[in-house]
Amino acid sequence: MSTTWHVLGAGSLGTLWAARLARAGLPVRLVLRNEQRLQDYLAAGGLTLVEQGQAQCYPVPGETVHNPEPIKRLLLACKAYDAQAAVASVAHRLDSDSELILLQNGLGSQDAVANCVPRARCISASSTEGAFRDGDWRVVFAGHGYTWLGDPAHPVAPIWLDDLAAAGIPHEWSADILTRLWRKLALNCAINPLTVLHHCKNGELQAHRCEVATLCAELIELLERCGQPAAAEDLQTEVERVIQATAANYSSMYQDVANQRRTEISYLLGHACAVAERHGVAVPHLEQMRQRLITHLDNLGLPSD
């Protein structure tokens, strides 16, 4: 009998994973923050996955964080700024046999979560899959991608990767997940804030090549100085490739701002600038962009932390 997947965070990626695991016949449960959310979910009858225009509903069981049943495998799929509070809400259900898969953007939240539950195993994940919600308990699978998983403390791959294969979730166990996380953070820092400040799609950044190149140069120096040379390799080329490949898309940060949602600035630009300061690396353009973004968010009445 497979271990049950508990999914905490009913956003686009959490819903996408839960629906595909359920479709493969694997035991999965959606963990919701309170009784009202649970009742709303039960009224909807399950999670709806929209793929290539076809919608299919999966009646994934739901429960609240207060359920006393132990959790052995938890997919934490909330935003980075909610991760610590989210895991604290189910800490009473976790023990030394529990495994957490952390599906957060940026860096910083992973350590905060691990400190909350020191006995549990925390596995970091970095995904390039694209999905968005077009309604409550509905997710549209917008772009096939890949998910890298790894655990710097315990490099041996877990046996449940077979579940991901069965669910059709393309993945790879990475012996150096921190390099993956830093690489993605650098890509996000070079693209996402600029799309917000220039109010544009990713492809329109091709008109701001000099600005992109300046940010990439600072990010490369930062990565090399903080012991991540592999993440720095050909960074500008990769940034330009991503801008071109996703030209018609709006970045996740742009979408957050457009939908009046809190951004993950502290775990992207904020983390990069804080690490630069610790290592004595001058990143004036990154810092200036962070300040511009904070001012922009403040003007919109959105949180800037």
Side-chain angles (χ1 to χ4, degrees):
M1 183 66 185
S2 291
T3 300
T4 297
W5 286 80
H6 286 82
V7 178
L8 180 51
S12 52
L13 280 183
T15 305
L16 180 64
W17 276 53
R20 286 182 295 179
L21 289 163
R23 181 173 63 187
L26 294 160
V28 55
R29 299 183 73 87
L30 201 59
V31 184
L32 301 161
R33 63 177 174 266
N34 56 39
E35 190 61 34
Q36 184 56 59
R37 284 290 282 167
L38 177 57
Q39 291 310 316
D40 291 347
Y41 172 63
L42 294 175
L47 298 175
T48 298
L49 173 60
V50 183
E51 199 169 3
Q52 296 175 328
Q54 299 296 311
Q56 179 70 47
C57 184
Y58 298 94
V60 175
E63 62 187 46
T64 72
V65 294
H66 308 295
N67 186 314
E69 182 190 325
I71 293 175
K72 295 302 176 191
R73 187 175 304 144
L74 178 69
L75 178 69
L76 192 67
C78 57
K79 291 283 194 177
Y81 48 74
D82 283 332
Q84 197 172 354
V87 85
S89 72
V90 292
H92 62 288
R93 303 175 61 183
L94 304 169
D95 59 26
S96 57
D97 292 328
S98 301
E99 292 178 299
L100 282 68
I101 300 95
L102 311 180
L103 204 53
Q104 279 67 53
N105 258 336
L107 282 161
S109 64
Q110 297 87 350
D111 288 342
V113 167
N115 290 336
C116 267
V117 283
R119 293 189 302 154
R121 183 186 188 186
C122 290
I123 291 165
S124 295
S126 178
S127 179
T128 60
E129 291 196 302
F132 63 90
R133 287 180 298 165
D134 68 346
D136 263 356
W137 321 112
R138 283 175 59 92
V139 64
V140 179
F141 194 5
H144 290 267
Y146 216 75
T147 300
W148 286 270
L149 305 105
D151 177 1
H154 302 282
V156 179
I159 57 169
W160 50 255
L161 292 180
D162 290 346
D163 284 5
L164 302 189
I169 298 172
H171 65 280
E172 183 181 315
W173 183 256
S174 173
D176 194 5
I177 190 64
L178 280 176
T179 294
R180 293 275 174 200
L181 293 171
W182 268 109
R183 178 73 159 192
K184 190 176 181 197
L185 178 139
L187 289 167
N188 282 337
C189 284
I191 296 171
N192 292 17
L194 285 178
T195 65
V196 173
L197 293 170
H198 291 298
H199 199 71
C200 68
K201 291 181 178 179
N202 293 356
E204 293 169 69
L205 291 182
Q206 290 173 96
H208 303 280
R209 278 203 168 96
C210 287
E211 205 170 1
V212 171
T214 302
L215 295 174
C216 286
E218 289 188 357
L219 287 162
I220 287 166
E221 186 182 358
L222 171 60
L223 290 167
E224 287 173 344
R225 290 277 292 278
C226 72
Q228 290 295 334
E233 210 168 296
D234 296 323
L235 178 66
Q236 188 177 335
T237 304
E238 176 76 354
V239 167
E240 289 170 355
R241 187 196 67 76
V242 170
I243 286 170
Q244 202 162 7
T246 62
N249 298 0
Y250 287 106
S251 75
S252 56
M253 187 178 280
Y254 179 100
Q255 291 178 56
D256 284 340
V257 172
N259 290 299
Q260 293 285 294
R261 290 193 300 253
R262 184 178 175 183
T263 70
E264 293 174 302
I265 178 174
S266 297
Y267 300 91
L268 297 169
L269 267 180
H271 188 83
C273 290
V275 171
E277 191 174 358
R278 276 208 306 275
H279 287 269
V281 183
V283 287
H285 294 90
L286 281 168
E287 183 55 46
Q288 183 190 48
M289 185 168 65
R290 189 177 74 87
Q291 293 298 341
R292 281 167 64 199
L293 190 57
I294 286 170
T295 301
H296 182 68
L297 295 172
D298 286 344
N299 290 340
L300 292 172
L302 291 174
S304 55
D305 59 352

